[in-house]
Amino acid sequence: MSASQSSQPPVIVTAAILVIGDEILSGRTKDKNIGYIAEYLTNIGIELREVRVVPDVTDEIVAALNALRARYTYVFTTGGIGPTHDDITADAVAAAFGVSIDYDPRAVAMMRERFAAEELNEARMRMTRIPAGAELIANAISKAPGFNIGNVYVMAGVPAIMQAMLDVVGPTLKTGTKILSDTVRAGLREGDIGGPLAEVAKAHPGVSIGSYPFWSETGPDTNIVVRSRDPRRLEAAMGAVRQMIEACRKAG
């Protein structure tokens, strides 16, 4: 990296996830999308800042969506765009943006690629109702599309379908400077290094340092993860962390 490149301020692009569904809140369905989306966004240079889970209640969805879309570059929603009466995400998104919603000829054409005319019953046709002005997100698996309106991307809750939609969406997103990370295993308990680690963090502003305890084959241990958008700051902080660990081991 040249001096001119390293002197450029980082480009920060942020995102939030809005998970929609009573089944998630009840524990009946275990969410498998948050971690996948978070890792996907991190890898392309988008920083996930917040995740919310709301029930299948229009007012709750609208309030959460309006708060998140005003705060972050992108909002990704999962769930609530299926064929049943409680799939109300599309209607709630239309309400949040103050636009109408109706059967979209493009979405109907997509569904006809999979279903015969007599199979496009009222339930399946619900999945072709799209807010006015939205762009469709192709669904290679079941054909029922997601959609994008403003900075909001509305995707399915079924993990395989959501992932297929995210593959379509990903290349179209504005991305920022990636957060780099490095990890070191301390070989010490978290409580043994808490104080010295705080001093290291204080001495290295602009770097995120986290400690994550776990149980190893030799007993309690800790991983220390250092994150930064600046590779030089990352390297310097990692050096300080390693020195701190060595000093703690000798003192112990």
mmCIF file of all heavy atoms in Angstrom, residues 46-84:
data_model
loop_
_atom_site.group_PDB
_atom_site.id
_atom_site.type_symbol
_atom_site.label_atom_id
_atom_site.label_comp_id
_atom_site.label_asym_id
_atom_site.label_seq_id
_atom_site.Cartn_x
_atom_site.Cartn_y
_atom_site.Cartn_z
ATOM 1 N N ILE A 46 -19.045 -4.190 3.912
ATOM 2 C CA ILE A 46 -20.213 -3.520 4.497
ATOM 3 C C ILE A 46 -20.281 -3.917 5.965
ATOM 4 O O ILE A 46 -20.219 -5.099 6.295
ATOM 5 C CB ILE A 46 -21.511 -3.895 3.769
ATOM 6 C CG1 ILE A 46 -21.453 -3.437 2.311
ATOM 7 C CG2 ILE A 46 -22.725 -3.280 4.465
ATOM 8 C CD1 ILE A 46 -22.649 -3.847 1.481
ATOM 9 N N GLU A 47 -20.421 -2.932 6.835
ATOM 10 C CA GLU A 47 -20.384 -3.178 8.272
ATOM 11 C C GLU A 47 -21.794 -3.322 8.829
ATOM 12 O O GLU A 47 -22.582 -2.374 8.806
ATOM 13 C CB GLU A 47 -19.661 -2.032 8.978
ATOM 14 C CG GLU A 47 -19.487 -2.241 10.463
ATOM 15 C CD GLU A 47 -18.703 -1.126 11.123
ATOM 16 O OE1 GLU A 47 -18.103 -0.293 10.393
ATOM 17 O OE2 GLU A 47 -18.704 -1.070 12.366
ATOM 18 N N LEU A 48 -22.115 -4.510 9.321
ATOM 19 C CA LEU A 48 -23.403 -4.730 9.948
ATOM 20 C C LEU A 48 -23.392 -4.096 11.336
ATOM 21 O O LEU A 48 -22.583 -4.455 12.184
ATOM 22 C CB LEU A 48 -23.699 -6.230 10.055
ATOM 23 C CG LEU A 48 -25.043 -6.586 10.678
ATOM 24 C CD1 LEU A 48 -26.201 -6.060 9.840
ATOM 25 C CD2 LEU A 48 -25.163 -8.100 10.859
ATOM 26 N N ARG A 49 -24.310 -3.163 11.564
ATOM 27 C CA ARG A 49 -24.337 -2.404 12.814
ATOM 28 C C ARG A 49 -25.466 -2.810 13.753
ATOM 29 O O ARG A 49 -25.379 -2.597 14.955
ATOM 30 C CB ARG A 49 -24.479 -0.913 12.503
ATOM 31 C CG ARG A 49 -23.260 -0.281 11.827
ATOM 32 C CD ARG A 49 -22.221 0.134 12.847
ATOM 33 N NE ARG A 49 -21.083 0.795 12.221
ATOM 34 C CZ ARG A 49 -21.032 2.108 11.971
ATOM 35 N NH1 ARG A 49 -22.057 2.885 12.270
ATOM 36 N NH2 ARG A 49 -19.948 2.633 11.418
ATOM 37 N N GLU A 50 -26.555 -3.360 13.221
ATOM 38 C CA GLU A 50 -27.695 -3.640 14.084
ATOM 39 C C GLU A 50 -28.553 -4.752 13.495
ATOM 40 O O GLU A 50 -28.679 -4.881 12.279
ATOM 41 C CB GLU A 50 -28.546 -2.371 14.267
ATOM 42 C CG GLU A 50 -29.684 -2.511 15.253
ATOM 43 C CD GLU A 50 -30.407 -1.193 15.515
ATOM 44 O OE1 GLU A 50 -29.900 -0.127 15.088
ATOM 45 O OE2 GLU A 50 -31.479 -1.232 16.139
ATOM 46 N N VAL A 51 -29.154 -5.551 14.403
ATOM 47 C CA VAL A 51 -30.128 -6.573 14.023
ATOM 48 C C VAL A 51 -31.348 -6.418 14.919
ATOM 49 O O VAL A 51 -31.226 -6.293 16.139
ATOM 50 C CB VAL A 51 -29.556 -7.997 14.186
ATOM 51 C CG1 VAL A 51 -30.630 -9.035 13.871
ATOM 52 C CG2 VAL A 51 -28.336 -8.208 13.293
ATOM 53 N N ARG A 52 -32.525 -6.397 14.316
ATOM 54 C CA ARG A 52 -33.767 -6.378 15.083
ATOM 55 C C ARG A 52 -34.650 -7.542 14.648
ATOM 56 O O ARG A 52 -34.628 -7.941 13.481
ATOM 57 C CB ARG A 52 -34.539 -5.073 14.878
ATOM 58 C CG ARG A 52 -33.844 -3.842 15.396
ATOM 59 C CD ARG A 52 -34.803 -2.665 15.458
ATOM 60 N NE ARG A 52 -34.105 -1.405 15.662
ATOM 61 C CZ ARG A 52 -34.690 -0.239 15.861
ATOM 62 N NH1 ARG A 52 -36.019 -0.168 15.905
ATOM 63 N NH2 ARG A 52 -33.986 0.867 16.027
ATOM 64 N N VAL A 53 -35.425 -8.050 15.591
ATOM 65 C CA VAL A 53 -36.403 -9.095 15.294
ATOM 66 C C VAL A 53 -37.770 -8.575 15.723
ATOM 67 O O VAL A 53 -37.945 -8.134 16.866
ATOM 68 C CB VAL A 53 -36.088 -10.404 16.038
ATOM 69 C CG1 VAL A 53 -37.061 -11.498 15.606
ATOM 70 C CG2 VAL A 53 -34.649 -10.844 15.779
ATOM 71 N N VAL A 54 -38.733 -8.596 14.794
ATOM 72 C CA VAL A 54 -40.065 -8.071 15.093
ATOM 73 C C VAL A 54 -41.121 -9.113 14.730
ATOM 74 O O VAL A 54 -40.897 -9.977 13.883
ATOM 75 C CB VAL A 54 -40.344 -6.753 14.339
ATOM 76 C CG1 VAL A 54 -39.425 -5.651 14.817
ATOM 77 C CG2 VAL A 54 -40.220 -6.957 12.836
ATOM 78 N N PRO A 55 -42.288 -9.035 15.366
ATOM 79 C CA PRO A 55 -43.368 -9.983 15.069
ATOM 80 C C PRO A 55 -44.090 -9.631 13.774
ATOM 81 O O PRO A 55 -43.836 -8.598 13.153
ATOM 82 C CB PRO A 55 -44.289 -9.827 16.282
ATOM 83 C CG PRO A 55 -44.110 -8.398 16.684
ATOM 84 C CD PRO A 55 -42.657 -8.091 16.448
ATOM 85 N N ASP A 56 -45.016 -10.501 13.409
ATOM 86 C CA ASP A 56 -45.833 -10.263 12.220
ATOM 87 C C ASP A 56 -46.945 -9.267 12.552
ATOM 88 O O ASP A 56 -48.138 -9.593 12.548
ATOM 89 C CB ASP A 56 -46.444 -11.586 11.731
ATOM 90 C CG ASP A 56 -45.381 -12.563 11.259
ATOM 91 O OD1 ASP A 56 -44.526 -12.168 10.452
ATOM 92 O OD2 ASP A 56 -45.399 -13.726 11.714
ATOM 93 N N VAL A 57 -46.534 -8.055 12.843
ATOM 94 C CA VAL A 57 -47.451 -6.970 13.188
ATOM 95 C C VAL A 57 -47.057 -5.764 12.340
ATOM 96 O O VAL A 57 -45.920 -5.278 12.439
ATOM 97 C CB VAL A 57 -47.383 -6.616 14.685
ATOM 98 C CG1 VAL A 57 -48.284 -5.442 14.999
ATOM 99 C CG2 VAL A 57 -47.751 -7.829 15.533
ATOM 100 N N THR A 58 -47.974 -5.275 11.532
ATOM 101 C CA THR A 58 -47.645 -4.218 10.572
ATOM 102 C C THR A 58 -47.006 -3.005 11.233
ATOM 103 O O THR A 58 -45.960 -2.517 10.766
ATOM 104 C CB THR A 58 -48.912 -3.789 9.805
ATOM 105 O OG1 THR A 58 -49.421 -4.899 9.069
ATOM 106 C CG2 THR A 58 -48.591 -2.664 8.833
ATOM 107 N N ASP A 59 -47.599 -2.496 12.300
ATOM 108 C CA ASP A 59 -47.064 -1.293 12.947
ATOM 109 C C ASP A 59 -45.644 -1.512 13.455
ATOM 110 O O ASP A 59 -44.812 -0.599 13.393
ATOM 111 C CB ASP A 59 -47.968 -0.860 14.103
ATOM 112 C CG ASP A 59 -49.294 -0.290 13.621
ATOM 113 O OD1 ASP A 59 -49.410 -0.017 12.410
ATOM 114 O OD2 ASP A 59 -50.209 -0.132 14.454
ATOM 115 N N GLU A 60 -45.369 -2.706 13.963
ATOM 116 C CA GLU A 60 -44.027 -3.020 14.469
ATOM 117 C C GLU A 60 -43.009 -3.045 13.328
ATOM 118 O O GLU A 60 -41.891 -2.528 13.447
ATOM 119 C CB GLU A 60 -44.038 -4.374 15.188
ATOM 120 C CG GLU A 60 -44.929 -4.440 16.399
ATOM 121 C CD GLU A 60 -44.237 -3.938 17.647
ATOM 122 O OE1 GLU A 60 -43.060 -3.561 17.579
ATOM 123 O OE2 GLU A 60 -44.900 -3.929 18.702
ATOM 124 N N ILE A 61 -43.393 -3.640 12.218
ATOM 125 C CA ILE A 61 -42.496 -3.722 11.063
ATOM 126 C C ILE A 61 -42.226 -2.323 10.508
ATOM 127 O O ILE A 61 -41.078 -1.955 10.227
ATOM 128 C CB ILE A 61 -43.093 -4.630 9.973
ATOM 129 C CG1 ILE A 61 -43.281 -6.050 10.496
ATOM 130 C CG2 ILE A 61 -42.183 -4.642 8.736
ATOM 131 C CD1 ILE A 61 -44.092 -6.948 9.568
ATOM 132 N N VAL A 62 -43.290 -1.530 10.362
ATOM 133 C CA VAL A 62 -43.151 -0.181 9.802
ATOM 134 C C VAL A 62 -42.244 0.676 10.679
ATOM 135 O O VAL A 62 -41.331 1.368 10.184
ATOM 136 C CB VAL A 62 -44.529 0.485 9.637
ATOM 137 C CG1 VAL A 62 -44.381 1.970 9.301
ATOM 138 C CG2 VAL A 62 -45.330 -0.223 8.552
ATOM 139 N N ALA A 63 -42.461 0.642 11.991
ATOM 140 C CA ALA A 63 -41.663 1.466 12.898
ATOM 141 C C ALA A 63 -40.196 1.071 12.863
ATOM 142 O O ALA A 63 -39.305 1.934 12.788
ATOM 143 C CB ALA A 63 -42.202 1.347 14.324
ATOM 144 N N ALA A 64 -39.923 -0.230 12.893
ATOM 145 C CA ALA A 64 -38.539 -0.702 12.872
ATOM 146 C C ALA A 64 -37.869 -0.366 11.538
ATOM 147 O O ALA A 64 -36.723 0.103 11.496
ATOM 148 C CB ALA A 64 -38.495 -2.202 13.128
ATOM 149 N N LEU A 65 -38.594 -0.589 10.453
ATOM 150 C CA LEU A 65 -38.028 -0.337 9.127
ATOM 151 C C LEU A 65 -37.706 1.138 8.933
ATOM 152 O O LEU A 65 -36.618 1.489 8.438
ATOM 153 C CB LEU A 65 -39.000 -0.821 8.056
ATOM 154 C CG LEU A 65 -38.488 -0.779 6.618
ATOM 155 C CD1 LEU A 65 -37.268 -1.659 6.458
ATOM 156 C CD2 LEU A 65 -39.591 -1.217 5.661
ATOM 157 N N ASN A 66 -38.600 2.012 9.329
ATOM 158 C CA ASN A 66 -38.356 3.444 9.152
ATOM 159 C C ASN A 66 -37.188 3.925 10.007
ATOM 160 O O ASN A 66 -36.412 4.798 9.585
ATOM 161 C CB ASN A 66 -39.620 4.234 9.469
ATOM 162 C CG ASN A 66 -40.626 4.216 8.328
ATOM 163 O OD1 ASN A 66 -40.254 3.993 7.181
ATOM 164 N ND2 ASN A 66 -41.896 4.430 8.638
ATOM 165 N N ALA A 67 -37.051 3.365 11.204
ATOM 166 C CA ALA A 67 -35.912 3.744 12.050
ATOM 167 C C ALA A 67 -34.603 3.277 11.442
ATOM 168 O O ALA A 67 -33.626 4.032 11.382
ATOM 169 C CB ALA A 67 -36.095 3.145 13.442
ATOM 170 N N LEU A 68 -34.570 2.045 10.963
ATOM 171 C CA LEU A 68 -33.322 1.472 10.453
ATOM 172 C C LEU A 68 -32.911 2.084 9.109
ATOM 173 O O LEU A 68 -31.730 2.369 8.887
ATOM 174 C CB LEU A 68 -33.468 -0.047 10.309
ATOM 175 C CG LEU A 68 -33.652 -0.819 11.619
ATOM 176 C CD1 LEU A 68 -33.960 -2.292 11.330
ATOM 177 C CD2 LEU A 68 -32.429 -0.702 12.513
ATOM 178 N N ARG A 69 -33.867 2.314 8.231
ATOM 179 C CA ARG A 69 -33.496 2.814 6.899
ATOM 180 C C ARG A 69 -33.011 4.262 6.944
ATOM 181 O O ARG A 69 -32.297 4.717 6.051
ATOM 182 C CB ARG A 69 -34.645 2.641 5.908
ATOM 183 C CG ARG A 69 -35.861 3.515 6.107
ATOM 184 C CD ARG A 69 -36.986 3.054 5.170
ATOM 185 N NE ARG A 69 -38.192 3.879 5.270
ATOM 186 C CZ ARG A 69 -38.487 4.875 4.466
ATOM 187 N NH1 ARG A 69 -37.649 5.216 3.501
ATOM 188 N NH2 ARG A 69 -39.617 5.547 4.612
ATOM 189 N N ALA A 70 -33.403 4.975 8.002
ATOM 190 C CA ALA A 70 -32.915 6.343 8.171
ATOM 191 C C ALA A 70 -31.514 6.369 8.770
ATOM 192 O O ALA A 70 -30.797 7.366 8.633
ATOM 193 C CB ALA A 70 -33.872 7.119 9.069
ATOM 194 N N ARG A 71 -31.119 5.298 9.394
ATOM 195 C CA ARG A 71 -29.876 5.281 10.163
ATOM 196 C C ARG A 71 -28.710 4.641 9.400
ATOM 197 O O ARG A 71 -27.552 5.000 9.615
ATOM 198 C CB ARG A 71 -30.117 4.525 11.470
ATOM 199 C CG ARG A 71 -28.985 4.600 12.472
ATOM 200 C CD ARG A 71 -29.414 3.950 13.780
ATOM 201 N NE ARG A 71 -30.602 4.609 14.334
ATOM 202 C CZ ARG A 71 -31.393 4.060 15.234
ATOM 203 N NH1 ARG A 71 -31.165 2.833 15.678
ATOM 204 N NH2 ARG A 71 -32.431 4.731 15.701
ATOM 205 N N TYR A 72 -29.011 3.697 8.518
ATOM 206 C CA TYR A 72 -27.949 2.915 7.885
ATOM 207 C C TYR A 72 -28.009 2.998 6.363
ATOM 208 O O TYR A 72 -29.037 3.337 5.782
ATOM 209 C CB TYR A 72 -28.047 1.448 8.331
ATOM 210 C CG TYR A 72 -27.985 1.304 9.830
ATOM 211 C CD1 TYR A 72 -29.109 0.912 10.554
ATOM 212 C CD2 TYR A 72 -26.815 1.599 10.538
ATOM 213 C CE1 TYR A 72 -29.060 0.804 11.937
ATOM 214 C CE2 TYR A 72 -26.767 1.498 11.916
ATOM 215 C CZ TYR A 72 -27.891 1.102 12.614
ATOM 216 O OH TYR A 72 -27.839 1.001 13.975
ATOM 217 N N THR A 73 -26.891 2.661 5.737
ATOM 218 C CA THR A 73 -26.825 2.701 4.272
ATOM 219 C C THR A 73 -27.813 1.730 3.655
ATOM 220 O O THR A 73 -28.492 2.048 2.676
ATOM 221 C CB THR A 73 -25.401 2.352 3.790
ATOM 222 O OG1 THR A 73 -24.428 3.104 4.533
ATOM 223 C CG2 THR A 73 -25.247 2.651 2.314
ATOM 224 N N TYR A 74 -27.873 0.517 4.215
ATOM 225 C CA TYR A 74 -28.761 -0.524 3.696
ATOM 226 C C TYR A 74 -29.516 -1.203 4.834
ATOM 227 O O TYR A 74 -29.005 -1.306 5.952
ATOM 228 C CB TYR A 74 -27.971 -1.600 2.943
ATOM 229 C CG TYR A 74 -27.243 -1.114 1.713
ATOM 230 C CD1 TYR A 74 -25.856 -1.164 1.636
ATOM 231 C CD2 TYR A 74 -27.948 -0.617 0.611
ATOM 232 C CE1 TYR A 74 -25.179 -0.726 0.504
ATOM 233 C CE2 TYR A 74 -27.279 -0.180 -0.522
ATOM 234 C CZ TYR A 74 -25.899 -0.236 -0.574
ATOM 235 O OH TYR A 74 -25.238 0.207 -1.694
ATOM 236 N N VAL A 75 -30.714 -1.689 4.515
ATOM 237 C CA VAL A 75 -31.466 -2.543 5.429
ATOM 238 C C VAL A 75 -31.856 -3.807 4.660
ATOM 239 O O VAL A 75 -32.376 -3.720 3.538
ATOM 240 C CB VAL A 75 -32.737 -1.861 5.966
ATOM 241 C CG1 VAL A 75 -33.494 -2.808 6.899
ATOM 242 C CG2 VAL A 75 -32.390 -0.564 6.678
ATOM 243 N N PHE A 76 -31.607 -4.947 5.269
ATOM 244 C CA PHE A 76 -31.975 -6.229 4.669
ATOM 245 C C PHE A 76 -33.036 -6.879 5.557
ATOM 246 O O PHE A 76 -32.815 -7.067 6.757
ATOM 247 C CB PHE A 76 -30.755 -7.144 4.555
ATOM 248 C CG PHE A 76 -29.660 -6.566 3.711
ATOM 249 C CD1 PHE A 76 -28.662 -5.790 4.295
ATOM 250 C CD2 PHE A 76 -29.635 -6.757 2.347
ATOM 251 C CE1 PHE A 76 -27.651 -5.230 3.518
ATOM 252 C CE2 PHE A 76 -28.641 -6.194 1.563
ATOM 253 C CZ PHE A 76 -27.648 -5.426 2.149
ATOM 254 N N THR A 77 -34.177 -7.200 4.984
ATOM 255 C CA THR A 77 -35.217 -7.880 5.755
ATOM 256 C C THR A 77 -35.296 -9.334 5.317
ATOM 257 O O THR A 77 -35.048 -9.668 4.149
ATOM 258 C CB THR A 77 -36.598 -7.230 5.588
ATOM 259 O OG1 THR A 77 -37.196 -7.647 4.352
ATOM 260 C CG2 THR A 77 -36.509 -5.716 5.627
ATOM 261 N N THR A 78 -35.641 -10.198 6.266
ATOM 262 C CA THR A 78 -35.865 -11.610 5.943
ATOM 263 C C THR A 78 -37.184 -12.039 6.563
ATOM 264 O O THR A 78 -37.513 -11.663 7.679
ATOM 265 C CB THR A 78 -34.734 -12.511 6.481
ATOM 266 O OG1 THR A 78 -34.723 -12.474 7.913
ATOM 267 C CG2 THR A 78 -33.371 -12.070 5.960
ATOM 268 N N GLY A 79 -37.943 -12.819 5.793
ATOM 269 C CA GLY A 79 -39.182 -13.386 6.298
ATOM 270 C C GLY A 79 -40.418 -12.603 5.929
ATOM 271 O O GLY A 79 -40.371 -11.404 5.654
ATOM 272 N N GLY A 80 -41.546 -13.320 5.895
ATOM 273 C CA GLY A 80 -42.830 -12.666 5.725
ATOM 274 C C GLY A 80 -43.232 -12.332 4.310
ATOM 275 O O GLY A 80 -44.101 -11.484 4.105
ATOM 276 N N ILE A 81 -42.623 -13.009 3.303
ATOM 277 C CA ILE A 81 -43.041 -12.732 1.920
ATOM 278 C C ILE A 81 -43.574 -14.005 1.248
ATOM 279 O O ILE A 81 -43.512 -14.141 0.033
ATOM 280 C CB ILE A 81 -41.918 -12.090 1.075
ATOM 281 C CG1 ILE A 81 -40.664 -12.977 1.026
ATOM 282 C CG2 ILE A 81 -41.574 -10.713 1.606
ATOM 283 C CD1 ILE A 81 -39.609 -12.465 0.046
ATOM 284 N N GLY A 82 -44.105 -14.914 2.060
ATOM 285 C CA GLY A 82 -44.660 -16.156 1.541
ATOM 286 C C GLY A 82 -46.124 -16.029 1.142
ATOM 287 O O GLY A 82 -46.662 -14.929 1.005
ATOM 288 N N PRO A 83 -46.833 -17.189 1.018
ATOM 289 C CA PRO A 83 -48.196 -17.188 0.482
ATOM 290 C C PRO A 83 -49.317 -17.145 1.513
ATOM 291 O O PRO A 83 -50.488 -17.147 1.127
ATOM 292 C CB PRO A 83 -48.236 -18.536 -0.264
ATOM 293 C CG PRO A 83 -47.360 -19.425 0.567
ATOM 294 C CD PRO A 83 -46.244 -18.540 1.087
ATOM 295 N N THR A 84 -48.991 -17.107 2.796
ATOM 296 C CA THR A 84 -50.043 -17.227 3.803
ATOM 297 C C THR A 84 -50.495 -15.864 4.345
ATOM 298 O O THR A 84 -49.841 -14.846 4.123
ATOM 299 C CB THR A 84 -49.577 -18.117 4.973
ATOM 300 O OG1 THR A 84 -48.409 -17.549 5.571
ATOM 301 C CG2 THR A 84 -49.257 -19.513 4.472
#
